[in-house]
Amino acid sequence: MSFNRLRTAALAVLLAFGAAASAGPAADAAATRSAVDADEDVAAVPAAPALPAFGIAAGDVAAVHFHQADQRYLPLFASRGADHDAIAKTASVVNRLIGKAELTKERLEGEEHFFAVGADIDLAGETDLSLEFKDRQHVLLYYGPDVYLAADNAAMDDLATLMALPPRSTISTLEPAIGGTLAIRGSDGFGQSGIVNVFVETPGASGGYTTAKGTYFPSKRALLVYSGPMREARYALTFVLPAYGETIDGAFKPVLPGEYSLDLVTDAGNPSFPVRVAAPAGPQLAINGVPAGGTALAPVVSNGAMLLPMRALAEAFGWRVTWDAAHKAAMIASQPKPPAVNPGGAGELSLWVNGKRLTGANAKPVLVKGSVYLPLRATAGALGLGLTWTPAVNGALLTFKPAPLREGAYAGDPRKLAAVKVLNGYVEALNARDGAALEKLFAKDVLPAPDFGVIGQRLITGIRAVTFQNRPGGALLADVTFGYLFDPRGNRTGGAGLVLTQEDGAWRIADVD
């Protein structure tokens, strides 16, 4: 029984005893009923968690966050081996305070609360505990709805030895070139995991803006150029500065050479660097904003024209590629059973798309180091890709939408049709990094997966295959094979099992394996 329940029950008994002494047997019976009723009332209300009488174990501490005013300190995490000693010391100080703590009605309000030194202690599977120093000798302990007061002359000094300010974030160069590599490191985050978004914006821009996708932009003129993972409040980002950045409305705009503020947005801090962006050293190709340089998709320039590797691009989008060496003919097809092709006698190099030969002066394939390349515009047309050419950055932007599952193929099965619609929406939300849309596809209290920080710059080109299996309770298991571009591990395809269930009349994702 909690302290509050004991106190309430004892009060009821005392009142009953006093009434019996003055009012006789009838009053005694009434008082007894009152005591029983009071105990039943107390039992009906869930008891507040009592402050752990024997303290907390260091192994139960998941994280510790120190703070004072708007100053944040390096948090401690149980998942980080280097923090274990500091967590053990924190637990020791807390246990000393618990041994001295007494219930109080005191609270810190306003400026006193804001400027107080404090610590928030996340306990695994338990009610979290917070400390707030009234002064150097008195500490308030917040545990559930209750507040306790403890006097300890050494607690603040002991914890102060653990409160380290994060070092200043660093950047590898303040004069990056488009297409060049940037390295940024910092430890000014807050949470166990998260995303660091990197923006470029013209100096003097101001006014934050949160998009419908839930992404915070430091200004409406900012361009999102990279998103990377944060772990244990720290990040180490290495990326290629792209020729194109994402605008607040999800479109892409070129990053022109010039002076910018390079801004980072984390879950706590927003460091920035003044940078002078230089022109690229060579041709730039981006697909949905992601730089393709340094990969098998990298372009080459011949006679002033940008050429793209047909096999690598076609296979990246799930197309079948065949090479007829005898006739010097390259054939690509988006269909499982493409039309038959008759290249004729051995002659000049030819390229066939879904059974039709590409012709014209601007669609002439070229053999480069044993691989077939095609001019930029012809490549975009052959693969059905959007194209933007920006001479100022010597860059081309190809855009695509992932190939969806054909809903008509599942029209005869309402359950599978509903699941297919969810899967298509899932792919679109992942590619757009649309956290708001992704959350709507998942069941209540289910964390959307995968984490954007885990997938890096990976894009899904389409769903290559799917099979469905019935699961208990009317659920469906969808075993899905995705086509990938820019996967962090270099995979062209990957699979996942998605469990779909009905919730409030709609199909939702309940689990992703």
Side-chain angles (χ1 to χ4, degrees):
M1 182 177 290
S2 71
F3 178 83
N4 284 339
R5 289 187 60 191
L6 284 171
R7 181 176 57 185
T8 304
L11 180 60
V13 172
L14 287 174
L15 289 173
F17 180 80
S22 60
D28 181 66
T32 302
R33 287 195 299 272
S34 297
V36 172
D37 291 343
D39 188 63
E40 288 177 350
D41 290 342
V42 171
V45 179
L51 194 65
F54 299 102
I56 61 174
D60 291 334
V61 177
V64 180
H65 291 87
F66 300 106
H67 53 84
Q68 182 182 22
D70 56 0
Q71 180 63 65
R72 296 287 179 179
Y73 298 85
L74 281 172
L76 308 175
F77 294 99
S79 59
R80 188 171 182 267
D83 291 341
H84 287 179
D85 289 346
I87 287 176
K89 185 172 182 179
T90 301
S92 176
V93 172
V94 169
N95 290 338
R96 196 170 75 225
L97 294 173
I98 288 176
K100 304 174 180 179
E102 295 182 358
L103 275 169
T104 181
K105 293 183 179 180
E106 290 194 54
R107 304 287 191 279
L108 295 187
E109 305 288 348
E111 290 188 357
E112 283 188 320
H113 168 71
F114 178 73
F115 287 106
V117 174
D120 298 324
I121 302 162
D122 301 337
L123 299 174
E126 299 181 32
T127 303
D128 295 337
L129 174 68
S130 294
L131 308 181
E132 194 171 51
F133 284 85
K134 286 185 59 182
D135 50 45
R136 295 191 61 84
Q137 297 182 353
H138 298 92
V139 191
L140 293 174
L141 292 80
Y142 296 83
Y143 190 74
D146 292 329
V147 182
Y148 299 80
L149 179 65
D152 191 295
N153 294 331
M156 179 179 286
D157 290 336
D158 289 343
L159 292 181
T161 64
L162 310 177
M163 298 168 63
L165 294 173
R168 187 178 181 85
S169 300
T170 62
I171 187 171
S172 55
T173 177
L174 295 177
E175 296 184 350
I178 297 169
T181 300
L182 264 179
I184 303 175
R185 285 167 171 74
S187 52
D188 50 9
F190 180 81
Q192 177 78 36
S193 63
I195 293 288
V196 180
N197 287 327
V198 184
F199 298 86
V200 293
E201 61 176 339
T202 51
S206 61
Y209 181 82
T210 300
T211 69
K213 296 191 297 187
T215 303
Y216 176 81
F217 276 61
S219 79
K220 290 188 176 183
R221 290 185 289 177
L223 297 178
L224 176 61
V225 295
Y226 185 74
S227 296
M230 181 187 68
R231 294 289 180 268
E232 296 164 343
R234 295 160 174 84
Y235 49 89
L237 313 177
T238 300
F239 61 97
V240 172
L241 183 63
Y244 297 86
E246 183 179 344
T247 65
I248 59 171
D249 58 3
F252 294 100
K253 184 178 178 180
V255 179
L256 302 176
E259 294 186 356
Y260 294 92
S261 174
L262 190 144
D263 298 335
L264 276 63
V265 175
T266 74
D267 61 353
N270 300 310
S272 65
F273 305 91
V275 297
R276 183 187 297 274
V277 174
Q284 302 295 303
L285 174 68
I287 301 178
N288 282 18
V290 181
T295 71
L297 307 177
V300 299
V301 174
S302 177
N303 297 322
M306 182 182 288
L307 307 175
L308 302 182
M310 282 308 299
R311 174 181 287 275
L313 270 172
E315 289 181 342
F317 286 96
W319 290 44
R320 298 177 59 185
V321 180
T322 305
W323 169 247
D324 185 342
H327 299 93
K328 298 174 64 176
M331 291 157 281
I332 64 173
S334 61
Q335 307 160 1
K337 296 181 179 179
V341 170
N342 182 12
E348 65 176 1
L349 182 66
S350 62
L351 178 66
W352 302 70
V353 179
N354 286 331
K356 295 182 179 180
R357 181 175 179 175
L358 290 187
T359 60
N362 295 324
K364 186 176 181 180
V366 177
L367 208 58
V368 179
K369 297 181 179 180
S371 297
V372 176
Y373 281 70
L374 193 67
L376 172 66
R377 198 165 295 278
T379 302
L383 298 178
L385 306 175
L387 170 64
T388 300
W389 168 251
T390 309
V393 295
N394 194 17
L397 171 69
L398 298 178
T399 55
F400 76 94
K401 291 186 177 181
L405 290 170
R406 293 187 302 109
E407 295 181 5
Y410 301 90
D413 190 327
R415 294 169 73 247
K416 291 182 180 178
L417 176 59
V420 163
K421 291 180 179 180
V422 172
L423 294 176
N424 286 338
Y426 178 71
V427 170
E428 290 180 6
L430 284 180
N431 271 14
R433 303 300 189 265
D434 190 337
L438 192 65
E439 185 176 357
K440 293 178 182 178
L441 296 173
F442 279 75
K444 296 175 183 176
D445 302 324
V446 176
L447 191 66
D451 185 279
F452 291 156
V454 173
I455 62 178
Q457 294 183 300
R458 184 175 75 198
L459 299 173
I460 298 175
T461 58
I463 297 177
R464 302 285 179 85
V466 62
T467 59
F468 292 100
Q469 300 178 35
N470 290 320
R471 281 289 184 262
L476 274 177
L477 170 63
D479 284 316
V480 188
T481 300
F482 301 105
Y484 289 152
L485 265 179
F486 310 120
D487 180 71
R489 298 181 179 179
N491 296 324
R492 290 184 177 180
T493 61
L498 286 82
V499 178
L500 298 103
T501 60
Q502 278 194 307
E503 181 181 81
D504 299 330
W507 284 87
R508 298 282 187 267
I509 301 171
D511 190 24
V512 178
D513 183 8

